[in-house]
Amino acid sequence: HVQLVESGGGLVQAGESLTFSCAASGRSFSHYTMGWFRQAPGKERDFVAAITWSTGSSDYADSVKGRFTISRDNAKNTGYLQMNSLKPEDTAVYYCAVHILGSVYMAASYGYWGQGTQVTVSS
């Protein structure tokens, strides 16, 4: 049984930082890409960042480039999302996910999802 457990959300003020972690269990994801998505109320689930487990290469949505950093620890089967200089428009529920097939930028390409963690950024 595959499980992704997220932690690290919360309420912060604009300009502050948060770090998410996403611990995977049930199997090794050393050959898969992990992604982070976010969903604001009334909006679609949008791509935030992705990282390959094997090479560590990463990509980001334009809206978070330079502020967010995705990383992973293969030994711990855990991924991380460091979010700096947070803005009110970053407010959303954040999800980690494991990519299965297709574009890494599309939520439909991911087969395993975390439970979601709320981030609220006040101005």
Side-chain angles (χ1 to χ4, degrees):
H1 175 65
V2 175
Q3 190 174 20
L4 300 178
V5 178
E6 301 172 34
S7 61
L11 171 64
V12 297
Q13 293 187 334
E16 294 184 339
S17 300
L18 279 176
T19 299
F20 283 128
S21 64
C22 177
S25 62
R27 64 176 296 176
S28 170
F29 291 100
S30 60
H31 298 293
Y32 291 85
T33 292
M34 170 175 274
W36 289 90
F37 285 74
R38 65 186 182 186
Q39 189 166 20
K43 296 189 176 180
E44 294 185 350
R45 193 168 295 188
D46 292 331
F47 172 79
V48 174
I51 186 169
T52 61
W53 284 103
S54 54
T55 66
S57 61
S58 57
D59 199 4
Y60 299 88
D62 288 342
S63 58
V64 307
K65 273 181 186 175
R67 300 189 297 121
F68 290 12
T69 302
I70 190 172
S71 61
R72 86 277 185 258
D73 184 332
N74 287 347
K76 295 181 178 180
N77 225 21
T78 299
Y80 305 94
L81 185 68
Q82 171 72 37
M83 304 183 293
N84 297 327
S85 302
L86 283 162
K87 305 176 180 180
E89 50 264 43
D90 294 319
T91 296
V93 176
Y94 284 72
Y95 299 88
C96 64
V98 174
H99 176 261
I100 301 299
L101 185 68
S103 170
V104 298
Y105 305 107
M106 304 293 293
S109 301
Y110 291 73
Y112 303 101
W113 289 87
Q115 79 277 15
T117 305
Q118 176 70 47
V119 170
T120 303
V121 184
S122 62
S123 58

